[in-house]
Amino acid sequence: MFIRPSWSGCAFLAILTWPAAQNAPPQRDQSPGQISYKSASDADEKKTLLLKDFHPVSMLHASAHNVDRAKYYVIDVHNHVNDAMRIDDHMPPERVVEIMDKTNVRTVVILTGMWGDELQSVIDEMVKPYPGRFMVFSQIDWSKIDDPNFSQEMVAQLDDAVARGARGLKQLKDLGLGVRDKSGKLIAVDDPRLDPIWEECGRLGIPVSIHTTDPESFFHPVDNTNERYEELTEHPDWSFYGPQFPTKESILAARDRMFAKHPHTTFVALHMANWPENLDYVSHLLDSLPNVMVEFGAREAELGRQPRRAREFFIKYQDRIMFGTDNGMDEAMYRNHFRWLETGDESFDYWGYPGQGRWKIYGMELPDSVLEKIYHKNAERMFRQFRPAALASTK
Ligand SMILES: [Zn+2]
């Protein structure tokens, strides 16, 4: 009989060597060929696989329901596609519209529109050529913070932006964590110099979409207990841990005082008020301040890992939550969000997994009436507040 160098050859070799092992003295509770129920004594030494090389494949046989098009048309209230700050790579506008058409996204809100000529170029490229498909927001020019009449300048800049076609004001997370005046002091979110700007937004009936702080783990040490260890290692400047930063709680408290001070202005507390890890807090915020709305841009992972609590929250606050993604334009990106909102699928990847943390998400299977509000009705109600007549009475 010939032994070929094949699978049967290997088996033969194994049979030849096995009796040698049999001669070793058997361990107390493990005879040869038996399966031990104790951990290997060298297990800890052997667990040296690098985190970056660990890519487990789920063996779960769970059903997957792909949702190619949203059940109701969508307004994505948190996007940066072809914006003025060039946050994302530029994409041909026809391709953007093609992605939207394929996924039932009717309108995309481009938040980072800046002001003046930069704003105008977004309006000319995206807003005007595709009526009803894009909206753009303006921003505050922080380089002017030390001007003696900063507030009036910014109100005039905002009026100009809205006259050009902007339909809201966006504030990045730099307010509270990065913007300083010439004295070196951080500008607080509730700084009174900003009050006239928030009031003007209320007068014009345009929303203020504001990003304040970041995930809770960004305020904790970047060590082996941090659930976003890999993300913070990739982006060390996203860590706000240390005495040089105010606490997350104190910045959010300043934001919420500012919201309360301007009850006639609608604020969109972006990223689920930036505390989806603490939905009790977000519930309290929405209960106490009727002028606040939320959206879930880049927080699918946080909400998707707590599907029962999140579903209860989405149903209770169905008139206050809007659809936002804060992700690069991609059909698969939108479809992943639809699957999370519409189906009851279990244990699947959030969009961008494992970028935010090594956990899976679970679908919420929201009722149709809730989906419709979140997909577009709430955003439409908010944007109907715009008062062009107020703009005409400026100056
Ligand atoms: Zn954003």
Side-chain angles (χ1 to χ4, degrees):
M1 179 183 160
F2 291 97
I3 298 163
R4 284 174 299 157
S6 65
W7 179 88
S8 58
C10 292
F12 186 66
L13 201 71
I15 290 162
L16 277 181
T17 53
W18 179 67
Q22 208 172 23
N23 294 334
Q27 287 175 5
R28 198 207 297 243
D29 54 357
Q30 185 189 6
S31 21
Q34 281 200 330
I35 296 167
S36 165
Y37 295 97
K38 286 194 170 170
S39 307
S41 55
D42 59 351
D44 270 356
E45 289 154 48
K46 282 187 168 168
K47 286 180 192 165
T48 54
L49 177 66
L50 297 175
L51 192 51
K52 71 182 174 69
D53 296 327
F54 185 53
H55 306 292
V57 176
S58 173
M59 294 293 114
L60 191 68
H61 292 242
S63 57
H65 299 88
N66 296 316
V67 185
D68 286 343
R69 295 172 59 79
K71 194 158 193 176
Y72 303 96
Y73 71 84
V74 169
I75 300 178
D76 179 354
V77 301
H78 191 156
N79 208 286
H80 301 279
V81 66
N82 294 349
D83 69 338
M85 292 180 72
R86 294 283 183 248
I87 286 182
D88 291 329
D89 291 339
H90 187 268
M91 189 181 261
E94 319 81 67
R95 171 69 187 130
V96 179
V97 172
E98 183 191 36
I99 293 168
M100 293 163 66
D101 289 344
K102 281 185 173 166
T103 52
N104 202 16
V105 176
R106 183 174 289 181
T107 306
V108 162
V109 181
I110 304 166
L111 288 182
T112 30
M114 296 182 71
W115 52 88
D117 292 345
E118 282 88 355
L119 171 71
Q120 193 61 50
S121 64
V122 179
I123 292 171
D124 291 343
E125 185 191 35
M126 304 299 293
V127 181
K128 278 189 184 158
Y130 304 96
R133 307 306 301 275
F134 298 98
M135 298 174 82
V136 64
F137 280 25
S138 189
Q139 294 172 264
I140 295 171
D141 181 359
W142 292 112
S143 72
K144 303 226 165 92
I145 184 65
D146 292 308
D147 288 6
N149 45 6
F150 166 77
S151 311
Q152 295 91 313
E153 274 182 273
M154 286 305 109
V155 167
Q157 179 184 290
L158 179 71
D159 291 343
D160 174 69
V162 175
R164 288 170 189 261
R167 288 294 172 267
L169 183 70
K170 153 79 172 183
Q171 181 51 56
L172 293 164
K173 67 179 161 192
D174 53 359
L175 179 60
L177 281 168
V179 184
R180 294 168 193 274
D181 61 21
K182 63 173 180 247
S183 74
K185 229 178 101 226
L186 279 171
I187 308 294
V189 184
D190 61 345
D191 189 295
R193 281 171 283 187
L194 307 175
D195 285 340
I197 308 169
W198 314 135
E199 278 300 301
E200 182 67 358
C201 291
R203 197 181 71 84
L204 296 172
I206 59 167
V208 177
S209 288
I210 181 165
H211 177 154
T212 315
T213 82
D214 255 339
E216 191 168 331
S217 53
F218 288 15
F219 292 80
H220 285 264
V222 186
D223 62 17
N224 64 340
T225 65
N226 195 307
E227 65 176 356
R228 289 184 182 236
Y229 173 82
E230 288 161 286
E231 185 179 30
L232 288 165
T233 304
E234 250 170 69
H235 303 278
D237 52 326
W238 292 1
S239 170
F240 304 114
Y241 172 70
Q244 69 275 36
F245 297 108
T247 63
K248 177 178 171 77
E249 289 80 356
S250 69
I251 305 171
L252 288 183
R255 178 195 66 182
D256 300 348
R257 280 194 300 275
M258 185 275 275
F259 288 167
K261 197 175 174 185
H262 302 284
H264 304 298
T265 304
T266 297
F267 294 94
V268 183
L270 296 172
H271 307 294
M272 199 49 85
N274 241 317
W275 215 349
E277 305 93 319
N278 185 352
L279 286 178
D280 288 345
Y281 160 81
V282 186
S283 303
H284 176 74
L285 174 71
L286 293 175
D287 288 341
S288 28
L289 298 172
N291 58 326
V292 176
M293 303 281 287
V294 290
E295 62 81 47
F296 45 73
R299 296 299 180 272
E300 184 197 24
E302 289 294 348
L303 295 160
R305 67 169 165 168
Q306 44 174 332
R308 284 183 287 269
R309 177 73 176 94
R311 188 178 198 276
E312 180 193 26
F313 178 90
F314 272 63
I315 289 172
K316 183 165 182 201
Y317 298 101
Q318 57 185 270
D319 297 310
R320 312 287 290 281
I321 305 169
M322 295 181 290
F323 182 98
T325 59
D326 195 20
N327 286 127
M329 276 280 165
D330 194 311
E331 285 99 338
M333 181 278 287
Y334 280 121
R335 287 168 182 157
N336 179 272
H337 283 76
F338 306 155
R339 186 182 177 197
W340 165 55
L341 296 167
E342 294 187 27
T343 81
D345 285 358
E346 297 192 300
S347 190
F348 59 97
D349 290 351
Y350 59 82
W351 184 252
Y353 174 90
Q356 297 188 330
R358 287 176 177 258
W359 60 78
K360 298 282 181 167
I361 63 166
Y362 304 80
M364 284 193 288
E365 220 173 354
L366 291 172
D368 286 356
S369 58
V370 176
L371 282 174
E372 203 177 2
K373 288 178 178 180
I374 287 164
Y375 277 144
H376 64 256
K377 280 186 160 179
N378 293 339
E380 285 175 342
R381 192 181 70 239
M382 180 177 79
F383 287 120
R384 272 199 303 270
Q385 295 173 347
F386 175 52
R387 282 189 291 273
L391 189 67
S393 68
T394 303
K395 286 154 219 160

